[in-house]
Amino acid sequence: MGRNWEQELIAKAEQRTALIGVVGMGYVGLPLAAEMAEAGFQVLGYDVSRRVVDNVNKGISHVLDVPSERLARFVSAGRITATNDETRLGEPDLVAIAVPTPLSKTRDPDISYVLSATEAVARHLRPGQAMVLESTTYPGTTRELMLPALEKSGLKVGSDFFLAFSPERVDPGNRRFQTRNTPKVIGGITPACTRVIMALYAPAIETMVPVSSPEAAELTKLLENTFRAVNIGLVNEMAIVCDKLGVDVWEVIDAAATKPFGFMKFTPGPGVGGHCIPLDPHYLAWKMRALNYRTRFIEVAGEVNSQMPEFWVDKVVHALNEQGKAVRGAGILVLGIAYKKDIDDIRESPAIDVVRLLQGLGGQVSYHDPFIAEFKEDGIVLSSVPLDPATVRKADCVVIVTDHSAVDYAMVGREARSLVDTRHAVADRAKRR
Ligand SMILES: NC(=O)c1ccc[n+]([C@@H]2O[C@H](COP(=O)([O-])OP(=O)(O)OC[C@H]3O[C@@H](n4cnc5c(N)ncnc54)[C@H](O)[C@@H]3O)[C@@H](O)[C@H]2O)c1
C-alpha cells in the first residue's frame, strides 16, 4: 500500500506544518503569501524576477495591499522567504501559481507564463504535492495544459498529487474585502483534489466554495469579470444616450438605484483598465471562437468601453470651444491616471488613451496623481504636478479621469476654469457634504 497523501496533507494543513509555495509574488501572490503566513504556515515564494525576490527578502513590499511593515514582520520571523532557485519548487506541499495571463499583440491569450511556471513545477514534482492555478485563464487550461505536463512524471492525479483551479478575486485597494474574507471558489480535477486543496486554504480563507470541476471554477472567474465588463459597457452606453438626450445620466442611475430589487448600480467613466476587466473576457471569447461561437456581449461591451476615452476627449474639445479656444496649445490638467481610485496601477488605464488623444490634438497635457509620480507609456513621459489652487486655475481645462479619495474636489470644482468630470467626483462629493 502506498502512502495516503490525501490524509497526510489534510493533517499537515490542520497542524499548519505544510509548507506553502507561491509562484509569482505580484498583486495576487504576495497578499496570498501574507494570509498563509498569518494563518501560521511557513511560505516559500518563487519568482523569476530577481528584484521581487530581493525586495521580499528585505521585507520591502511592492504591493499596496501588503504594507512593508506587515511583510517585514513575516520575513524576520522566518515565515516568508522568497527564492528564484527553481530546484526548491519540490519543497512545498502546496504550490499556488499566480503568474500573469496577459493578451498578445493580436489580443489572444498569452499563456506562456502559466506554461513556463507549470513546466518548472513539473520538473521538481514529487509525490504528495498539491498544485493550484490562481491566474485568470480560459476554461480548459488546468486540465488540458497543466495536467498532462504534471502527469509526464508518471505520478497519478488525485492520489500521488493534487491539482485544482481556484480563481483569485483580489480587488486591489478594497479595504473591506481582501484575500482572507473573499470567498474562494475551488474546482479540483478529482474530488480528492478539491478536498486536499480546500483543507490547505481553510486556515487562511474564511469561506470556501467547492465546485465540481476546474472548468466550472475557470468559468466562474470569467463570468464575474465579463459581468462587470458588460454592465460597465451598458452604463457607459447609457451615458452616451443621456448625453444625446440632454439628460443627466448620474441622476438617472441614482434614481434607478432606489429600486430595492433587480437593479445593481454601475457608474459610467472613462473606460475600463487594469489587469482583469479589459483582458479576461477575451480569454473566453478566444476559447469560444475555437468552438465556432461568437460571444457577442463581450465584443459589444469591449467596443463601447474602449470608445469612452474618445467620448470624454470630445467633451474637452467642447469645453475649450466654449472658451473660444482650440485644443492645440491649451493647458489641460488630467486628474488621476491610475486605472481606478486609490491604487498605484496604470496597466491598461483609460487615462493613457485620454492623454495620448489630447496630446495628438496638440494639447499641453500635465497630470496629477497622488499614487503615480512618473508616467511613461507609449513614448509619453510625464511627472505628476502638485495639486494646488494655482495649478488648477492655470489649466484651460481640468479632466478628472480617476477619482482618488485624497483629492480636494471642492477646491477643483471652485477653481477650475472648465471641468470635464468623467467620474462625477465633484458633484458626488458636494452631495455627500
Ligand atoms: N491584479 C489583480 O487585481 C488580479 C485580480 C484577480 C486575478 N488576477 C490574475 O492573477 C494573475 C496574476 O496577476 P498579478 O496582477 O498578480 O500579476 P503581477 O504581474 O503583479 O505578478 C506576477 C508575478 O509573477 C512573476 N512571474 C512571471 N512569470 C513567472 C514564472 N514563470 N515563474 C515565477 N514567477 C513568474 C512576475 O515576475 C511577477 O512578480 C493574472 O492571471 C491576473 O489576471 C489579478
Side-chain angles (χ1 to χ4, degrees):
M1 263 290 275
R3 286 165 75 169
N4 187 330
W5 290 113
E6 178 181 346
Q7 266 175 22
E8 282 191 37
L9 281 171
I10 291 174
K12 276 186 165 186
E14 280 163 4
Q15 292 149 15
R16 311 290 190 271
T17 51
L19 175 65
I20 308 297
V22 176
V23 174
M25 302 278 278
Y27 285 90
V28 167
L30 202 56
L32 175 67
E35 283 314 330
M36 287 294 197
E38 190 80 61
F41 288 115
Q42 192 100 4
V43 178
L44 177 67
Y46 169 77
D47 203 294
V48 289
S49 158
R50 185 123 237 135
R51 190 181 51 83
V52 168
V53 168
D54 288 348
N55 279 341
V56 169
N57 284 334
K58 283 187 211 143
I60 301 169
S61 171
H62 58 297
V63 174
L64 227 51
D65 287 342
V66 181
S68 289
E69 310 81 73
R70 185 170 182 228
L71 178 61
R73 196 161 39 86
F74 294 132
V75 171
S76 57
R79 280 275 174 77
I80 296 182
T81 320
T83 184
N84 54 9
D85 175 2
E86 191 201 284
T87 60
R88 296 197 62 190
L89 287 173
E91 294 175 26
D93 298 293
L94 170 75
V95 180
I97 300 177
V99 295
T101 44
L103 292 175
S104 70
K105 287 232 172 329
T106 52
R107 301 198 82 68
D108 288 337
D110 174 0
I111 210 75
S112 61
Y113 300 89
V114 173
L115 252 176
S116 67
T118 304
E119 282 162 3
V121 171
R123 278 192 286 275
H124 306 283
L125 183 66
R126 59 158 174 89
Q129 278 190 307
M131 250 73 55
V132 183
L133 180 62
E134 296 228 359
S135 304
T136 308
T137 185
Y138 61 82
T141 306
T142 312
R143 192 186 302 275
E144 293 159 15
L145 196 139
M146 290 187 76
L147 183 59
L150 297 167
E151 276 184 328
K152 268 198 207 142
S153 60
L155 298 178
K156 200 168 165 2
V157 71
S159 50
D160 299 330
F161 74 94
F162 305 90
L163 176 63
F165 183 80
S166 177
E168 180 49 61
R169 289 165 149 176
V170 71
D171 179 19
N174 191 325
R175 302 231 172 99
R176 189 158 163 232
F177 292 108
Q178 283 147 1
T179 303
R180 167 168 284 278
N181 62 354
T182 303
K184 196 145 185 55
V185 173
I186 297 187
I189 296 273
T190 69
C193 294
T194 306
R195 285 195 296 272
V196 165
I197 288 159
M198 274 177 66
L200 284 159
Y201 276 95
I205 313 277
E206 285 172 13
T207 312
M208 225 69 73
V209 185
V211 293
S212 66
S213 65
E215 289 76 16
E218 289 160 337
L219 263 171
T220 302
K221 175 72 185 179
L222 293 175
L223 170 61
E224 290 164 14
N225 282 358
T226 302
F227 173 85
R228 283 193 66 75
V230 167
N231 279 287
I232 294 168
L234 173 66
V235 85
N236 276 333
E237 181 158 86
M238 200 49 81
I240 297 169
V241 166
C242 285
D243 184 59
K244 288 189 184 299
L245 293 172
V247 175
D248 179 351
V249 66
W250 277 281
E251 185 186 3
V252 175
I253 292 166
D254 281 345
T258 61
K259 185 178 177 186
F261 47 87
F263 183 82
M264 187 181 279
K265 184 172 170 175
F266 281 81
T267 47
V272 288
H275 202 165
C276 296
I277 313 290
L279 271 57
D280 299 350
H282 290 284
Y283 270 73
L284 184 55
W286 174 85
K287 176 76 181 181
M288 296 318 293
R289 271 202 303 279
L291 298 175
N292 249 332
Y293 182 81
R294 198 159 61 86
T295 47
R296 286 152 290 175
F297 277 102
I298 292 175
E299 261 175 46
V300 172
E303 241 170 64
V304 174
N305 290 331
S306 60
Q307 276 167 10
M308 292 315 285
E310 277 174 46
F311 172 82
W312 291 109
V313 164
D314 198 44
K315 293 280 159 223
V316 176
V317 173
H318 277 82
L320 289 168
N321 189 48
E322 289 291 306
Q323 303 176 52
K325 286 192 175 133
V327 180
R328 184 162 302 282
I332 301 160
L333 174 64
V334 173
L335 285 190
I337 55 164
Y339 81 83
K340 68 173 181 177
K341 74 171 173 184
D342 300 340
I343 63 160
D344 62 349
D345 192 349
I346 64 160
R347 291 180 295 182
E348 309 282 326
S349 173
I352 300 168
D353 285 332
V354 171
V355 171
R356 191 177 44 78
L357 288 166
L358 288 170
Q359 284 194 335
L361 291 170
Q364 300 293 314
V365 181
S366 57
Y367 85 90
H368 169 79
D369 191 308
F371 292 89
I372 296 158
E374 246 211 354
F375 169 63
K376 279 190 195 157
E377 276 292 324
D378 295 346
I380 304 169
V381 183
L382 292 171
S383 299
S384 178
V385 297
L387 186 68
D388 51 42
T391 319
V392 174
R393 266 198 306 271
K394 209 171 89 200
D396 295 300
C397 184
V398 177
V399 195
I400 299 175
V401 177
T402 308
D403 52 342
H404 290 305
S405 308
V407 168
D408 179 355
Y409 292 103
M411 181 277 280
V412 173
R414 207 169 48 238
E415 303 292 344
R417 276 193 258 163
S418 76
L419 181 68
V420 172
D421 186 353
T422 73
R423 304 279 187 175
H424 213 226
V426 172
D428 277 352
R429 298 308 190 287
K431 233 189 320 180
R432 260 183 258 151
R433 270 203 308 274

